[in-house]
Amino acid sequence: DYNSELYAFGHRIGAPEIPDDVYLKALTNESFFSRADVDDGVKNPQPGASVSISEHNSDLIERGEEKLSAWLRCYLRFHLPKAPEELIQSIDSHLLNDECLAAIATHLGIDHLVRTKEFPINQQSASDAFRALAGIFPDDKVKNLVIDFIVPQLIDIDFADVYPLADPLAVLTDLLKTTQGITEIEPRVLRSAGENSAEPIYVVAIYADKKINVGQSAGESLTIAIDMAAREALLRLWDITSDRVLFFGDRAASAPLENYSKPNYSLAEKCSKDTNTNLVDESTLTETPDNLIEAVLRYRNVVDSEVGKSYTKRLRHKFSRGSLAKRSFRYLVKPKPYTVA
């Protein structure tokens, strides 16, 4: 019963006062009217309701996305006042993309209510339906929608991955010099292991004025470790740490989020003109097949010539099974404690 489902959905999402025809418009995709049975004029096409409309949610999608983005950015600026506006925008874009909104729509049961041409419903249609619902809600309802369903997704976000700066060390240097009067920034290797192995690790720390550790991290190469340490230092500078408390539920709803509609500072204002504040281009991070060949050649020419064969290859135990061609029946017998000499 579609009407009963709409009634239950209105209470589930916290807006039972909205009429069914308004909900039906928000849940009707434009492709629904190009479906064969609808185009042929079938009476009560499924999923259908007693209210018959010929409107779709295209005009509501953009309006709802603006409302969701406005409240989400206010929430982020309230909790992260020291973060640049570029980080706020990156988190906003990540939480409001099709994948995240489609997952929320699935948990709310929206995918069973959307009227569309394709079956099963795709991510685009599900996320557009969620945006359209925000378009029909008043501002106070949109605020509750953001706090109850979108803000909890922050728990699964890695802020360093959401905002991957191409040159984090240069950005960190400019920010520390302009905000804290630091004169010298120096990355140092604290410790390393397995430099000539297949899995090396380097722990690098960023020191300010040769004595203040502003951030440290590990990486499989010196370049990666320095970038990760610089990102960690930037997150500390912006007060984004593991013990940062974020408001949820009633505590977040009672916060004066509407007072934080003004954007935060921009990195371009704090950094010099020569500093690269762009993000990493993911298209340049694709791994080529040559990397595997280079790794094999490096192990053969550098690692193997310096450390020799591994211990497992040089040592042959008495009860080693050996290869299939040279395995004898004696080695197939599991050794017992009293037979081990």
Side-chain angles (χ1 to χ4, degrees):
D1 188 348
Y2 194 81
N3 294 307
S4 300
E5 293 291 341
L6 280 180
Y7 177 81
F9 175 74
H11 286 75
R12 186 164 62 247
I13 205 169
E17 68 279 0
I18 295 180
D20 289 349
D21 57 339
V22 179
Y23 271 128
L24 197 60
K25 178 182 178 181
L27 295 172
T28 302
N29 192 273
E30 186 177 4
S31 63
F32 175 76
F33 299 102
S34 62
R35 210 170 68 183
D37 56 341
V38 180
D39 195 24
D40 293 340
V42 176
K43 186 178 181 181
N44 295 328
Q46 297 298 321
S50 59
V51 180
S52 178
I53 66 170
S54 59
E55 298 178 322
H56 49 79
N57 58 8
S58 296
D59 59 329
L60 298 174
I61 294 174
E62 184 176 356
R63 187 194 313 170
E65 187 170 13
E66 292 176 355
K67 290 183 177 181
L68 292 173
S69 179
W71 281 111
L72 181 57
R73 293 188 183 191
C74 289
Y75 177 90
L76 294 174
R77 295 185 193 114
F78 172 76
H79 287 89
L80 307 175
K82 296 183 179 180
E85 188 64 20
E86 290 86 350
L87 176 63
I88 302 296
Q89 294 174 0
S90 296
I91 300 174
D92 175 78
S93 300
H94 178 79
L95 291 178
L96 297 183
N97 61 19
D98 291 339
E99 183 179 358
C100 291
L101 292 185
I104 298 174
T106 301
H107 290 304
L108 290 174
I110 295 178
D111 55 333
H112 298 294
L113 299 175
V114 175
R115 306 202 302 171
T116 183
K117 181 180 180 180
E118 74 273 356
F119 183 82
I121 181 175
N122 56 34
Q123 285 187 352
Q124 182 68 45
S125 299
S127 59
D128 285 346
F130 188 88
R131 297 184 183 100
L133 288 171
I136 65 174
F137 286 177
D139 283 343
D140 58 334
K141 295 292 183 181
V142 177
K143 178 182 178 181
N144 294 333
L145 195 68
V146 170
I147 292 174
D148 293 339
F149 302 110
I150 298 180
V151 165
Q153 311 304 318
L154 282 170
I155 298 176
D156 298 329
I157 282 186
D158 188 344
F159 292 95
D161 291 339
V162 172
Y163 190 58
L165 286 167
D167 194 358
L169 183 60
V171 175
L172 175 65
T173 302
D174 287 350
L175 290 179
L176 289 177
K177 287 182 178 179
T178 56
T179 59
Q180 300 184 9
I182 301 297
T183 58
E184 184 181 357
I185 304 297
E186 177 189 10
R188 299 180 188 173
V189 179
L190 298 183
R191 52 191 177 273
S192 62
E195 293 89 345
N196 294 321
S197 67
E199 296 182 354
I201 184 171
Y202 301 87
V203 180
V204 174
I206 307 295
Y207 279 84
D209 289 341
K210 298 184 177 181
K211 57 183 179 180
I212 305 175
N213 186 342
V214 296
Q216 71 179 50
S217 183
E220 56 266 30
S221 67
L222 282 176
T223 304
I224 295 176
I226 291 173
D227 285 348
M228 296 301 294
R231 292 184 186 184
E232 176 67 22
L234 285 173
L235 293 181
R236 290 186 187 179
L237 186 63
W238 298 333
D239 283 348
I240 304 176
T241 55
S242 58
D243 57 349
R244 182 73 181 183
V245 178
L246 300 177
F247 291 173
F248 298 100
D250 295 337
R251 193 176 181 184
S254 60
L257 303 183
E258 58 276 359
N259 298 335
Y260 294 84
S261 58
K262 184 179 178 181
N264 290 359
Y265 71 92
S266 175
L267 280 182
E269 301 173 357
K270 300 289 185 179
C271 299
S272 61
K273 295 181 180 180
D274 298 333
T275 302
N276 183 11
T277 58
N278 298 324
L279 302 184
V280 175
D281 187 5
E282 296 183 357
S283 61
T284 61
L285 299 179
T286 56
E287 193 171 310
T288 60
D290 295 336
N291 292 339
L292 179 60
I293 299 175
E294 291 175 0
V296 173
L297 293 176
R298 176 181 177 274
Y299 186 85
R300 179 183 300 175
N301 299 331
V302 180
V303 179
D304 200 10
S305 61
E306 182 173 342
V307 301
K309 296 291 184 182
S310 63
Y311 186 72
T312 56
K313 291 184 178 180
R314 287 187 281 111
L315 180 63
R316 183 178 177 87
H317 191 264
K318 178 180 179 181
F319 299 103
S320 173
R321 292 183 177 273
S323 63
L324 292 175
K326 298 181 178 180
R327 183 179 300 173
S328 65
F329 291 105
R330 180 169 181 255
Y331 291 135
L332 294 176
V333 179
K334 184 178 180 182
K336 297 179 181 181
Y338 59 84
T339 63
V340 177

